[in-house]
Amino acid sequence: MVKILRLSFINFKMSIKDFRTIMFMFITPLTVILGINLMVSKGDYTVDSNIAFNVKDKGTYGEEILKEMNISENIFYDEEDKALELLERNEVVAVYQIPEDFTEKIKNGEKPGIQSFKREEGNTTLAFELNLEDEINERIRDEILLKNGIIGDRSELLNYRTRTKVINLNENKVDSKFALAMMMIIYFILLSSSSMGEKMVGMKKQNILSRAMSTANAGYEILGSLCLSIFVLQVAVNLAILFTAKIIIGFTITSFYIALANIMLTSLFSITFTMFMTRVFEEQGVVSFAAIIFSIASIFLSLISLKSEVFPKVPFVIKNIGKITPTYWLLDSVKTLNLFPNAVIVLLMIAALFSAGSYKLKSFVNRV
Amino acid sequence: MSLIEVKNITKRFGHKVVLDNITLTIDEGDVFGLIGPNGAGKSTLIKIMTGLWDSDGGEVIIDGYDLKKEPLKVKEQIGLVPQEIALFEGITAYDNLEFFGYLYGLKGRQLKERIDEALEVTGLKDRRKEKVNKFSGGMKRRLNIACAILHHPRILIMDEPTVGIDPQSRNHIFEFTKRINKENNTTVIYTSHYMEEVEMLCNKVFIIDLGQEVAYGDKKSIKSMISNNDRILIEAFDYRREMIQAIKQLPGVNECIEEKGLIKLLADKNSFRLEAVLKVIESHGGRIKSINFEEPSLEEVFLALTGRNLRD
């Protein structure tokens, strides 16, 4: 074990001497986290500026709902032509018309219909439409509660709604910016499997591994020390990214232990995944390509599984396939702040990959 | 007991036998030449001797340790200079040496001293802080050697160390090999397909072709395998023409020709007597400037034993 630690130290030292790689490991994820955060913090919906509204409502609910949704651009009041002109000029992807009886219908406990104009069908505005639906449903529910005397006045309504929100807050007390940063960190660690795989195949091609095999060190000591050094480097760099992002963006690290555990689990998965890939594919380019495809696909499928309600048209199988990826359980762990059973499931995945992907260094080095 | 014993080593790739029952011994302090054309099996044998490849039969015993049973004990004593450059290209010469020093179990002050020493003997001290990707082929070869000698191995295995390098670096490697053998009594195994290198450096030679032993022993005994004749070159002048015919009549002289003032003799090792030739030259008024005995080269030995040139 002492030997592995000693060899890990020199491997780690070699890695940090490659200053460009370290900066790339640090700067790229950080830039992406900051960039995405900047985009998201501009509004609740990134499609804001691509949507126009024509408000014909004679009451106040139409305007209030848009305000609650942080929408302030492209709002016209009974000027349908001007709103549709934006659509014709391709400046917006959709125009929503809030009808004259919008407030009145809600007050009567009815759901008002909202007419939309689009150049083509698509999912671009799906998230916005789901949120608009939620806002309208909430308003209708409040009105029904008032009308039926379940609550007495508006202040009680506010209390009731606050209580409802408290339940939601308990479920989602994680700072969304922290969750976003963690998601990107997990993605980038997985993506690093690509460069790690390249490094291992590269060390084989540069004959470093075969030379190392001629020294008085066992194959498991050489391979183990290499993996340990990568693990330490990944955890250190990604914690640095998390803390730097926290300082710049100003989010709260809701649970450091959850963050640390998830970074460590992702790194372990990434390393065993790399070993598996280098066992299956010997070519640097193929290992790299396969790792990139896996990283993108797993994060994409995980997000679909985690936010399945946002994608009503996606087939059931696709919605659930994400659950077999580690990213689903890692992201879910960050979202719910639970390590159990998520960590156990990811560890089982790592164990399965390790047994499928582990190899004797000698046979890896000697395979042509 | 010999330092290295290779017994009946066999290696197959599929149905192809690449090493066929190779047996040899190397004593401590030997500079042992392993020679043969490309693809003869030299590097395969080296890889088996260093534990990188497993053999299909036979055993390698180094300093009494069986390579299969106690590989780490064997590897402790070996420094391998692989045929292919095995270095990190993106870091400095010093950092490469530090990395391999750690692999050899060196640390602290001892590691620093050994790095300095290795840089010194390979003539790279001034380039220690330069990245390897800026080095010439010859400098990379020298650094490749430096990485193998950090732990002062008892056995230094140099697999084609001079391939594709400039004459200056080649000379440097020759000088280094002689020096490390003489000063440290390091046993050197030197593989090459350049016979003249082995001829110059090695005291014992193993010639291999198509995975089989062609010849094995000290240089003299190997050369004697192909001929019982000595070749003698005599530079003489002022002699009378009939002298050549007189020399031809002497016992043990198989052939005598004159070429541009040089008398070339092919003589039987057992029955030839040089004094008789000298007397004939004197009696024909000749005066002798020089006498040289010429041995066949290893290249000629290989040609005679295999029927083809080494670089065919």
Side-chain angles (χ1 to χ4, degrees):
Chain A
M1 191 61 199
V2 177
K3 212 172 185 183
I4 292 181
L5 289 175
R6 259 175 43 76
L7 294 180
S8 300
F9 170 73
I10 191 65
N11 275 311
F12 182 79
K13 204 171 167 185
M14 286 298 120
S15 302
I16 58 172
K17 294 225 164 158
D18 195 351
F19 189 67
R20 274 188 301 181
T21 307
I22 298 298
M23 287 316 287
F24 188 73
M25 270 179 85
F26 180 76
I27 284 175
T28 311
L30 187 63
T31 310
V32 174
I33 290 169
L34 297 180
I36 290 180
N37 181 69
L38 196 71
M39 276 163 55
V40 171
S41 60
K42 272 190 173 176
D44 283 353
Y45 309 101
T46 55
V47 290
D48 266 3
S49 54
N50 290 331
I51 297 173
F53 302 89
N54 180 34
V55 182
K56 295 170 93 175
D57 185 18
K58 288 186 174 163
T60 56
Y61 283 6
E63 197 181 345
E64 282 172 21
I65 281 177
L66 291 180
K67 209 172 176 184
E68 278 179 21
M69 294 174 76
N70 286 334
I71 295 167
S72 55
E73 288 176 33
N74 299 332
I75 301 174
F76 300 93
Y77 293 95
D78 214 358
E79 290 177 298
E80 190 178 334
D81 291 348
K82 282 191 178 177
L84 289 174
E85 206 178 306
L86 290 179
L87 185 67
E88 276 170 24
R89 290 208 304 264
N90 230 1
E91 287 179 25
V92 293
V93 294
V95 172
Y96 293 90
Q97 189 144 269
I98 296 175
E100 285 180 11
D101 56 355
F102 186 78
T103 306
E104 194 188 328
K105 277 198 166 175
I106 289 175
K107 280 185 173 171
N108 291 334
E110 289 177 53
K111 198 163 184 176
I114 293 178
Q115 199 178 4
S116 67
F117 303 93
K118 294 177 182 175
R119 291 180 75 91
E120 57 187 27
E121 279 293 327
N123 285 335
T124 325
T125 54
L126 194 64
F128 165 75
E129 284 169 12
L130 284 168
N131 280 290
L132 183 61
E133 287 278 317
D134 281 350
E135 290 288 339
I136 294 169
N137 290 343
E138 210 167 271
R139 288 261 170 173
I140 294 168
R141 187 188 57 200
D142 292 351
E143 290 297 338
I144 290 169
L145 291 172
L146 265 172
K147 216 172 183 178
N148 293 306
I150 297 168
I151 51 172
D153 57 26
R154 288 272 166 194
S155 63
E156 207 176 329
L157 172 69
L158 199 64
N159 288 342
Y160 179 79
R161 284 178 67 180
T162 309
R163 276 207 304 278
T164 310
K165 291 282 181 192
V166 168
I167 293 164
N168 283 338
L169 279 172
N170 274 339
E171 282 174 358
N172 296 300
K173 63 184 176 185
V174 176
D175 187 331
S176 61
K177 289 174 182 173
F178 163 69
L180 178 71
M182 280 302 296
M183 184 182 90
M184 295 317 297
I185 284 173
I186 287 169
Y187 171 67
F188 275 101
I189 295 177
L190 280 183
L191 204 58
S192 72
S193 308
S194 152
S195 55
M196 235 186 319
E198 271 186 29
K199 188 181 170 182
M200 284 188 74
V201 177
M203 280 177 84
K204 178 187 166 184
K205 285 198 171 161
Q206 284 182 70
N207 304 303
I208 304 286
L209 291 179
S210 63
R211 180 167 216 158
M213 285 291 297
S214 76
T215 62
N217 299 289
Y220 74 88
E221 288 169 337
I222 295 165
L223 202 56
S225 67
L226 190 63
C227 292
L228 184 60
S229 70
I230 293 170
F231 176 73
V232 172
L233 185 69
Q234 272 189 341
V235 173
V237 169
N238 285 290
L239 281 178
I241 291 169
L242 183 66
F243 281 100
T244 312
K246 171 193 154 55
I247 291 165
I248 297 172
I249 300 169
F251 59 75
T252 313
I253 296 178
T254 319
S255 168
F256 173 72
Y257 299 108
I258 290 287
L260 179 65
N262 279 293
I263 288 173
M264 287 166 79
L265 283 169
T266 314
S267 180
L268 275 178
F269 181 86
S270 168
I271 290 165
T272 44
F273 178 68
T274 304
M275 284 176 65
F276 176 74
M277 298 302 274
T278 48
R279 180 178 183 160
V280 177
F281 308 109
E282 297 280 319
E283 274 304 310
Q284 231 165 326
V286 181
V287 171
S288 180
F289 180 71
I292 290 170
I293 293 295
F294 174 79
S295 312
I296 294 171
S298 68
I299 203 96
F300 184 68
L301 292 170
S302 304
L303 287 175
I304 290 176
S305 296
L306 285 164
K307 289 270 177 193
S308 56
E309 69 278 6
V310 181
F311 308 100
K313 290 177 185 171
V314 174
F316 176 80
V317 178
I318 303 287
K319 275 183 186 174
N320 286 285
I321 205 166
K323 288 177 185 170
I324 61 166
T325 66
T327 37
Y328 173 86
W329 299 100
L330 293 163
L331 295 176
D332 185 64
S333 168
V334 173
K335 187 180 152 195
T336 60
L337 298 179
N338 282 328
L339 269 182
F340 187 82
N342 304 47
V344 178
I345 293 168
V346 177
L347 281 171
L348 285 173
M349 288 178 180
I350 291 168
L353 262 186
F354 184 76
S355 52
S358 67
Y359 43 75
K360 278 189 173 178
L361 186 62
K362 196 171 182 173
S363 51
F364 174 63
V365 168
N366 291 333
R367 261 179 277 150
V368 184
Chain B
M1 192 177 72
S2 300
L3 181 62
I4 300 168
E5 293 173 72
V6 174
K7 295 179 185 170
N8 309 110
I9 288 293
T10 302
K11 179 75 181 171
R12 290 183 199 89
F13 289 126
H15 293 296
K16 192 181 175 194
V17 180
V18 289
L19 285 179
D20 188 7
N21 212 27
I22 299 294
T23 297
L24 56 91
T25 57
I26 302 169
D27 294 327
E28 183 142 34
D30 275 350
V31 181
F32 189 89
L34 183 58
I35 52 178
N38 287 327
K42 303 185 295 291
S43 292
T44 304
L45 184 58
I46 293 298
K47 280 176 176 156
I48 288 170
M49 287 171 73
T50 50
L52 289 177
W53 286 3
D54 293 323
S55 64
D56 295 316
E59 56 184 355
V60 176
I61 293 167
I62 293 180
D63 196 28
Y65 296 110
D66 186 329
L67 179 63
K68 276 186 184 157
K69 289 175 188 159
E70 293 175 282
L72 300 188
K73 288 271 183 200
V74 169
K75 286 177 183 181
E76 270 173 17
Q77 307 186 54
I78 293 175
L80 173 67
V81 181
Q83 185 176 351
E84 304 85 9
I85 301 285
L87 301 165
F88 289 102
E89 293 271 337
I91 57 174
T92 65
Y94 189 93
D95 291 337
N96 267 286
L97 289 164
E98 190 181 24
F99 176 79
F100 287 109
Y102 261 88
L103 284 174
Y104 287 126
L106 302 170
K107 58 184 174 181
R109 179 180 284 184
Q110 190 191 28
L111 174 62
K112 283 197 172 73
E113 284 170 4
R114 293 289 179 86
I115 291 173
D116 287 341
E117 183 192 68
L119 286 166
E120 179 78 51
V121 295
T122 51
L124 292 170
K125 205 168 184 179
D126 298 337
R127 318 298 288 263
R128 57 197 287 153
K129 293 289 174 197
E130 268 183 48
K131 285 191 176 175
V132 173
N133 52 20
K134 289 182 183 161
F135 278 17
S136 68
M139 284 160 66
K140 283 181 187 173
R141 285 264 164 215
R142 282 190 267 158
L143 184 59
N144 208 28
I145 294 171
C147 290
I149 57 168
L150 287 163
H151 59 307
H152 287 179
R154 277 177 82 189
I155 302 159
L156 181 64
I157 300 178
M158 304 171 85
D159 192 3
E160 305 260 10
T162 57
V163 170
I165 61 168
D166 55 286
Q168 190 195 349
S169 289
R170 178 174 290 192
N171 287 337
H172 207 288
I173 290 170
F174 292 161
E175 290 311 311
F176 160 79
T177 309
K178 286 180 197 164
R179 190 172 145 192
I180 198 168
N181 173 253
K182 196 176 172 189
E183 291 177 5
N184 302 352
N185 198 33
T186 305
T187 305
V188 179
I189 301 175
Y190 192 99
T191 84
S192 180
H193 60 275
Y194 298 120
M195 295 285 186
E196 61 276 15
E197 288 184 4
V198 174
E199 184 124 30
M200 186 174 69
L201 290 170
C202 305
N203 60 327
K204 273 190 193 168
V205 176
F206 189 99
I207 302 178
I208 185 170
D209 189 32
L210 303 171
Q212 290 180 322
E213 177 187 322
V214 173
Y216 165 48
D218 59 61
K219 277 188 285 187
K220 201 168 181 181
S221 65
I222 283 186
K223 287 176 181 181
S224 67
M225 285 170 71
I226 62 162
S227 172
N228 283 322
N229 290 331
D230 278 336
R231 286 196 293 188
I232 304 146
L233 301 177
I234 302 171
E235 206 178 341
F237 53 97
D238 292 346
Y239 53 83
R240 291 191 292 276
R241 292 283 144 205
E242 56 270 27
M243 181 189 79
I244 300 297
Q245 205 52 44
I247 291 174
K248 277 184 181 172
Q249 305 303 318
L250 291 172
V253 175
N254 294 332
E255 201 180 317
C256 179
I257 53 168
E258 186 197 11
E259 209 175 87
K260 294 173 189 170
L262 205 60
I263 302 157
K264 292 184 176 178
L265 294 175
L266 196 62
D268 186 273
K269 278 181 178 157
N270 302 318
S271 54
F272 174 72
R273 287 180 62 241
L274 183 63
E275 304 90 85
V277 177
L278 299 180
K279 271 183 188 167
V280 171
I281 294 172
E282 203 177 7
S283 65
H284 286 79
R287 287 188 291 161
I288 296 164
K289 193 177 174 187
S290 67
I291 301 171
N292 283 307
F293 279 77
E294 198 179 60
E295 284 184 323
S297 68
L298 287 171
E299 189 97 35
E300 287 166 317
V301 173
F302 187 82
L303 177 65
L305 293 175
T306 65
R308 59 199 182 94
N309 277 316
L310 193 61
R311 283 161 220 168
D312 275 352

